[in-house]
């Protein structure tokens, strides 16, 4: 940068700033500013032309006034004129004013762009740097459109000065972040990567930042950077600090460049070339060795730089997860930091060890530090460090130390910071369930958890303990005895009352033989808590009372008196009143056998993934460290997706589903989850099973769940081990909108994510689909949304295809799914009277206007289910129209951009037909008439007919 001469001091600006500082009040400041603005405006509008110095001075004053919080509505043209000056200080002030005050919609953008182009073409390195800084500071799309093609050329040109190359690389990085679609790197990729070999370390540092960002989005294009990054890192790590004197920071050679190179290498798997891998391993070992050396300076800057490189090297070792020796050494190095006096180092060590605990090579080494971590949990002053200690205990837990870790977490929970109590509760519940050998210990742990932190025990936790108790006969008696004893405490948390009411209602008979827990004692104990509870808990207790009548006939009269009381039958809450009335009536009129059938013991819940895991994942968010088992599964998955066969997971067997109905009087919802997904499903209907599609194969179009959407608009369309795709749709007349939700089921970020809709040539003229762009990155455990706007131009049969592409673990994934856009989605219901319906039916007799299909239903046709499907299909269900009450009649209007056409429907089940003597199957006759004699009407009617028959079939 050129030296500033004495004449550039701008005395007038200094006096103005001094006047502002000396103002005694806000009014005085505003008065002085208005006076100055009037003076500047008169100078700009005066007949006398201002020289460069005066323009610079007045523009500086305007800039200072703007920074004080006042609006500036003039002076922009004078600032633009400064760009044409040949003096550095004048040009600098012009660019500064433009960067701060000129927006992308300004009329002066074209003049500004011309000034920037002139400076970029001047080959004057000072002027080129100013222009590049301005482009990066503004960073607008207009700037990207104007200069994105020129900047790469400047970056790789052989005659470009090193300082300009640095600015060009960072400017390109800025534009790539704001407008990635406008930065063409294809032809420049190889030459940009070659900048890692540049002799000037400033250029290498800037280029590494750029390449790292680009490699995250297009790994294959920049994979040649791996060998160059390793070579450069090796030269830095093995060189003496004196060799890199200009880039040595407190005896640490080029720490910022080392960190950036290590981050770049984390974009790729370990090198396949043995020599390259050996060289990288040597670099990492050298970094670990240097960390053990005595410090060369006592200043904090030295240790900060040294530790920055060390932690980034450990992050790369964890990322590769392929060198057992390095992983164990990294763990031991981090263990030394656990008792360091610097809080930040303790925090970072705990955070890194959480990830190390997920590796099969270093898990045992992490466990050796359990006492140190427990001590940190008890003595650490900083709550964020204590939270990381909890995370590490959770990550290092296994069957050998589960009881110790759970006990320590429970002990800490009593004094834990309120902001992390809910997360600790979830982790204790998960660990107690996952590593429970003796389920009596599990029951004791959960009840203790409710006692210590009942306010933070979510419904998922106490739902889960009830599910486990119901599914395990060996623990039911113990659970009933334990909750009975826990309820005897004078003050019980409401969640404990819920658990006690449910378990005693189901299994109170197992402890009724003891006089101390007789049926009447159990009832009185529960009822003593009734008036202290909220409405949902009271409703659950009423259900427990009716269960008691079935289990213990001797307390029937006592319970009926409670149900008959005015406080129940005339309760202000309609739910409690209805339960009391219905349960009382049921107990009075039902025989013993009927009562035993209606109130029989709950059947086992289907075995499924714990909902507490999903709750914890939502609580932690995608940016935090996932569960150790999640990471292990993801790594096995990544190997499988990339063709590896090293690991198999014995827990991937199909889940066993109970054949019993799941009627639940006590208010729990045992509906099975879809697969083992830990994603938060945004849909209420999640009955679609995960698609077993090999994601490494080609993009064959998936139609597995297509027919499920004929009569519904929301649900899960596609699911595999990496991705879940869900839909929420809405249609009105000939227009529709689909919200597509893409859920990343892994803990690894999806890169270069794109989603587009393709249609066959014929369909393109019949159906317009406009897809809004989707975020190119999807974080682990996160969801992104895409909106599809649809217009039905004319009748159609085919459906569009949703094409998804993304990179996972360096491998390109292609998925194609058939979008459930059928003609009936544009079907609007119409009400008709019986006489009008049949009169209209007889009028539509032309062959092109009627289509009929006879098919066999796979299941018996339940009336209510069939009605619901016809309504979901889009037609208005007309009751009492057909003389035969078994038939179903509907009417509606098909809306397209070209026309609106009425459609009548009759569905005639034939329940007499049979395929064989053992399996009764309904033969169904479906007829549709179509109010149009156009030649395409038969095609349209057939499309509707096939869709509805497929749905009912």
């Amino acid at each position: 940068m050129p030296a500033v001469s004495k004449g550039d001091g701008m005395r007038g600006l200094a006096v103005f700033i001094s006047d502002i500082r000396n103002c005694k009040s806000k009014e005085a400041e505003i008065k002085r500013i208005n006076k100055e603005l009037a003076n500047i405006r008169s100078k700009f509008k005066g007949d006398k032309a201002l020289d460069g110095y005066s323009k610079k001075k007045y523009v500086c004053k305007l800039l200072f006034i703007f920074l004080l919080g006042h609006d500036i509505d003039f002076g922009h043209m004078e600032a633009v004129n400064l760009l044409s000056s040949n003096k550095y200080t004048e040009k600098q002030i012009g660019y500064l004013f433009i960067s701060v005050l000129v927006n992308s919609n300004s009329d002066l953008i074209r003049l500004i762009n011309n000034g920037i182009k002139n400076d970029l073409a001047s080959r004057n390195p000072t002027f080129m740097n100013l222009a590049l800084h301005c482009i990066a500071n503004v960073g607008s799309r207009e700037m990207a459109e104007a200069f994105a093609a020129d900047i790469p050329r400047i970056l790789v040109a052989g005659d470009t000065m090193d300082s300009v190359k640095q600015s060009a690389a960072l400017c390109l990085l800025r534009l790539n972040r704001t407008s990635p679609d406008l930065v063409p790197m294809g032809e420049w990729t190889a030459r940009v990567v070659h900048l890692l070999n540049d002799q000037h370390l400033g250029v290498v540092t800037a280029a590494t930042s750029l390449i790292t960002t680009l490699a995250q989005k297009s790994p294959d294009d920049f994979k040649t950077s791996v060998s160059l990054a390793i070579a450069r890192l090796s030269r830095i790590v093995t060189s003496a600090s004196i060799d890199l004197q200009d880039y040595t920071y407190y005896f640490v050679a080029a720490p910022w460049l080392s960190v950036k190179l290590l981050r770049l290498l984390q974009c790729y798997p370990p090198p396949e070339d043995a020599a390259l891998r050996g060289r990288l391993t040597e670099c990492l070992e050298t970094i670990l060795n240097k960390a053990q050396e005595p410090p060369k300076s006592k200043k904090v800057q030295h240790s900060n730089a040294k530790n920055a490189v060390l932690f980034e090297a450990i992050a790369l070792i964890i990322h590769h997860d392929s060198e057992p020796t390095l992983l164990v050494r990294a763990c031991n190095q981090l263990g030394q930091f656990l008792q360091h006096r610097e809080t930040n180092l303790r925090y970072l060590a705990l955070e890194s060890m959480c990830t190390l605990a997920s590796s099969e090579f270093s898990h045992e080494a992490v466990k050796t530090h359990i006492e140190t971590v427990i001590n940190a949990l008890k003595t650490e002053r900083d709550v964020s460090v204590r939270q990381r200690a909890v995370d590490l205990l959770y990550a290092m837990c296994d069957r050998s130390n589960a009881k110790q870790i759970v006990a320590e977490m429970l002990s800490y929970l009593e004094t834990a910071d309120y902001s992390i109590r809910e997360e600790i509760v979830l982790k204790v519940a998960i660990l107690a369930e996952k590593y429970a050998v003796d389920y009596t210990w599990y029951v004791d742990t959960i009840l203790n958890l409710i006692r210590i932190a009942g306010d933070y025990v979510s419904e998922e936790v106490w739902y889960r303990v009830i599910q486990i108790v119901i599914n395990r006969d060996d623990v039911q008696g113990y659970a009933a005895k334990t909750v009975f004893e826990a309820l005897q405490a004078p003050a019980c948390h409401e969640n404990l009352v819920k658990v006690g009411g449910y378990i005693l209602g189901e299994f109170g008979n197992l402890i009724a033989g003891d006089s101390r827990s007789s049926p009447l004692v159990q009832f009185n104990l529960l009822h003593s808590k009734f008036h202290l509870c909220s409405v949902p808990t009271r409703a659950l207790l009423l259900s427990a009372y009716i269960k008691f009548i079935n289990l213990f006939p001797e307390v029937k009269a006592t319970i009926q008196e409670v149900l008959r009381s005015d406080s129940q039958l005339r309760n202000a809450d309609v739910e409690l009143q209805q339960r009391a009335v219905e349960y009382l009536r049921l107990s009075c009129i039902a025989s013993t056998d009927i009562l035993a059938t209606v109130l029989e013991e709950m059947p086992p819940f289907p075995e499924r993934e714990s909902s507490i895991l999903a709750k914890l994942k939502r609580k932690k968010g995608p940016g935090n460290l996932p569960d150790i088992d999640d990471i292990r599964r993801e790594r096995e998955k990544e190997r499988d997706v990339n063709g590896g066969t090293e690991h198999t997971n014995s827990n991937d067997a199909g889940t066993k589903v109970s054949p019993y109905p799941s009627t639940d009087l006590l208010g729990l919802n045992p509906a099975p989850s879809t697969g083992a997904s830990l994603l938060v499903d945004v849909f209420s209907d999640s009955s679609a099973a995960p698609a077993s599609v090999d994601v490494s194969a080609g993009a064959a179009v998936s139609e597995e769940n297509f027919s499920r959407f004929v009569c519904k608009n929301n649900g899960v369309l596609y699911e595999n081990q990496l991705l879940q795709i869900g839909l929420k749709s809405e249609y009105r007349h000939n227009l529709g909108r689909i919200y597509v939700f893409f859920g990343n089921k892994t803990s690894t970020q999806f890169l270069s994510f794109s989603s587009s809709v393709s249609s066959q040539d014929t369909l393109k003229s019949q159906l317009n689909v406009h897809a809004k762009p989707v975020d190119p990155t999807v974080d682990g455990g996160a969801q992104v949304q895409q909106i599809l706007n649809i217009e039905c131009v004319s009748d159609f049969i085919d459906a569009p295809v949703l094409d998804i592409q993304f990179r996972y673990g360096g491998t390109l994934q292609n998925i194609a799914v058939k979008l459930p856009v059928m003609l009936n989605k544009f079907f609007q219901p119409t009400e008709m009277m019986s006489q009008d319906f049949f009169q209209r039916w007889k009028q539509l007799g032309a062959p092109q206007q009627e289509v009929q299909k006879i098919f066999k239903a796979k299941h018996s046709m339940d009336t209510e289910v069939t009605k619901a499907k016809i309504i979901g299909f889009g037609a208005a269900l007309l009751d009492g129209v057909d003389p035969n009450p078994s038939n179903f009649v509907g009417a509606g209007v098909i809306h397209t951009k070209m026309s609106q056409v009425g459609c009548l429907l009759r569905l005639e089940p034939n329940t007499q037909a049979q395929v064989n003597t053992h399996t009764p199957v309904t033969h169904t006759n479906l007829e549709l008439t179509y109010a149009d004699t156009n030649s395409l009407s038969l095609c349209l009617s057939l499309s509707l007919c096939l869709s509805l028959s497929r749905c009912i079939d």
Side-chain angles (χ1 to χ4, degrees), residues 721-948:
Q721 62 264 45
L722 302 181
L723 180 69
Q724 182 189 69
I725 304 175
L727 302 183
K728 294 186 77 172
S729 312
E730 54 188 19
Y731 294 89
R732 183 173 180 82
H733 300 304
N734 70 311
L735 301 176
R737 176 173 289 176
I738 299 179
Y739 298 89
V740 187
F741 296 87
F742 301 99
N744 183 348
K745 296 174 61 179
T746 75
S747 60
T748 303
Q749 191 180 59
F750 290 164
L751 302 174
S752 304
F753 191 91
S754 64
S755 170
S756 60
V757 178
S758 59
S759 304
Q760 296 183 3
D761 293 339
T762 306
L763 184 60
K764 287 180 181 178
S765 62
Q766 300 167 340
L767 194 72
N768 292 332
V769 182
H770 177 261
K772 294 191 176 180
V774 65
D775 196 325
T777 59
V778 185
D779 291 332
Q783 286 182 337
V784 296
Q785 174 184 299
Q786 184 180 34
I787 299 178
L788 308 179
N789 293 316
I790 301 171
E791 180 185 30
C792 178
V793 179
S794 62
D795 51 290
F796 61 93
I797 295 179
D798 295 324
V801 175
L802 185 67
D803 299 304
I804 302 102
Q805 279 192 345
F806 59 93
R807 291 191 178 277
Y808 171 77
T811 304
L812 182 65
Q813 309 294 330
N814 292 286
I815 297 173
V817 185
K818 198 170 185 180
L819 270 177
V821 181
M822 309 87 163
L823 189 59
N824 67 286
K825 299 297 182 184
F826 307 97
F827 205 176
Q828 299 293 316
T830 303
E831 297 292 338
M832 298 183 71
M833 302 298 292
S834 175
Q835 182 177 356
D836 296 335
F837 179 87
F838 283 104
Q839 182 180 357
R840 185 65 172 158
W841 185 278
K842 292 176 183 177
Q843 292 174 354
L844 306 176
Q848 308 99 301
Q849 293 179 296
E850 184 172 5
V851 65
Q852 180 178 14
K853 178 176 175 61
I854 299 175
F855 60 93
K856 298 174 183 178
K858 293 180 180 178
H859 312 285
S860 59
M861 290 187 61
D862 181 89
T863 302
E864 295 303 320
V865 173
T866 305
K867 285 182 178 180
K869 288 188 175 182
I870 292 176
I871 294 172
F873 185 70
L877 189 65
L878 308 180
D879 291 327
V881 171
D882 199 295
N884 186 347
S886 300
N887 293 348
F888 302 92
V889 177
V893 177
I894 308 274
H895 287 263
T896 70
K897 185 178 181 181
M898 308 296 294
S899 61
Q900 298 181 17
V901 184
C903 182
L904 307 180
L905 174 150
R906 291 180 70 195
L907 186 67
E908 302 176 354
N910 181 4
T911 56
Q912 306 301 320
Q914 292 186 354
V915 175
N916 54 50
T917 58
H918 300 290
T919 310
V921 177
T922 303
H923 282 248
T924 307
N925 179 30
L926 176 62
E927 292 182 274
L928 290 98
T929 60
Y930 185 67
D932 193 351
T933 56
N934 189 288
S935 60
L936 289 176
S937 61
L938 182 60
C939 169
L940 186 148
S941 298
L942 183 60
S943 171
L944 286 176
C945 190
L946 290 174
S947 296
L948 184 55

Side-chain angles (χ1 to χ4, degrees), residues 494-554:
E494 191 167 333
N495 282 333
L496 182 59
V497 177
K498 293 176 182 177
V499 175
Y502 200 110
I503 290 179
L504 292 179
E506 293 291 335
F507 310 113
N509 59 311
L510 299 179
I511 62 171
D514 191 332
S515 59
R516 292 171 296 180
S517 55
S518 64
L520 187 59
V521 172
Q522 290 185 42
F523 170 73
N524 288 333
L525 181 60
L526 283 179
H527 196 55
S528 66
K529 315 292 182 184
F530 185 88
H531 303 289
L532 304 173
C533 297
S534 62
V535 169
T537 306
R538 292 184 186 184
L540 187 147
L541 289 178
L542 289 178
S543 298
Y545 295 169
I546 191 66
K547 288 262 186 175
F548 269 25
I549 292 178
N550 178 46
L551 291 176
F552 315 118
E554 62 267 30

Side-chain angles (χ1 to χ4, degrees), residues 219-220 267-270 272 319-320 633-647 693-697 721-722 746 748-750 806-814:
D220 289 345
C267 298
Y268 295 93
E272 296 180 0
H319 172 74
H320 284 172
R633 281 195 294 268
E634 295 310 326
R635 284 178 175 157
E636 291 170 9
K637 250 187 237 174
E638 187 171 341
R639 293 186 181 106
D640 293 341
V641 167
N642 293 324
T645 57
E646 295 179 87
H647 297 275
V693 178
D694 181 5
V695 297
S696 63
Q721 62 264 45
L722 302 181
T746 75
T748 303
Q749 191 180 59
F750 290 164
F806 59 93
R807 291 191 178 277
Y808 171 77
T811 304
L812 182 65
Q813 309 294 330
N814 292 286

